[in-house]
Amino acid sequence: MSMLATAARPRRTTTTIERPSLSVVRTPALRRSIAPFLTLLITILATAMGLTLMLNTQMAVTSYEIRDTRAQLVELTETAQTLKAEVETLGSPEYLRGAAGKIGMVPASTTFIMNLQAGTITALQEGQQ
C-alpha cells in the first residue's frame, strides 16, 4: 500500500524562480549643522559666567556696606557712651548745687509737700522726712 500511495502522488518538479536578492538599505544621513548646538552652549556658558560675575560683584558691594555700617555703629556707640557720661555728670547733686549757686539760687530753708488730690501744701519740720 505504501507503494501505491507514493505512486499515486504526482511528483513535484522543482523549479527555481529567481528572486532578486534583498538587502537592508540605510536611510541617507541628514547633514546636521553643529552651529546651533555650539551657539546654545556658548550662550549658556556666557550667561552662567555673567551671573557669577554679577553675584560676586553684588557680594563685594554688600560687604563694603556692612563694613561701613559697622564702623558707623562703633562711632555711634562711642557717642552714646560719651553722652551718657555727660548726662550722669550734669545730673549729679554736686554739679546741680554748683550750677544753682552760680545763677544765685540758695537752698530752701523749709521743705514743702504738695498734695495734689487734696490741693494742700504742708511744710515739713526739720528732722521729718
Side-chain angles (χ1 to χ4, degrees):
M1 173 130 168
S2 66
M3 185 139 296
L4 277 180
T6 57
R9 274 195 228 166
R11 284 191 171 196
R12 286 192 177 173
T13 58
T14 57
T15 58
T16 58
I17 301 173
E18 287 192 37
R19 294 183 185 178
S21 63
L22 298 177
S23 63
V24 176
V25 178
R26 293 184 179 210
T27 57
L30 297 176
R31 288 244 170 213
R32 293 183 184 162
S33 176
I34 197 167
F37 179 69
L38 286 178
T39 304
L40 177 66
L41 284 179
I42 290 171
T43 303
I44 291 172
L45 182 64
T47 303
M49 291 180 76
L51 287 175
T52 303
L53 178 65
M54 185 182 70
L55 285 174
N56 283 339
T57 304
Q58 187 62 38
M59 285 173 47
V61 168
T62 304
S63 174
Y64 283 116
E65 288 176 358
I66 289 172
R67 184 194 58 152
D68 293 342
T69 304
R70 284 184 179 164
Q72 186 179 11
L73 178 64
V74 167
E75 182 181 329
L76 290 175
T77 302
E78 289 173 356
T79 304
Q81 289 175 350
T82 304
L83 291 174
K84 278 183 183 179
E86 188 177 344
V87 166
E88 287 177 7
T89 302
L90 295 176
S92 68
E94 295 83 22
Y95 180 82
L96 290 176
R97 187 175 298 121
K102 286 181 185 177
I103 60 172
M105 297 178 81
V106 293
S109 58
T110 309
T111 306
F112 294 95
I113 296 178
M114 183 186 291
N115 187 344
L116 295 177
Q117 290 178 345
T120 59
I121 297 176
T122 310
L124 283 179
Q125 303 286 334
E126 283 193 36
Q128 276 187 332
Q129 289 187 356

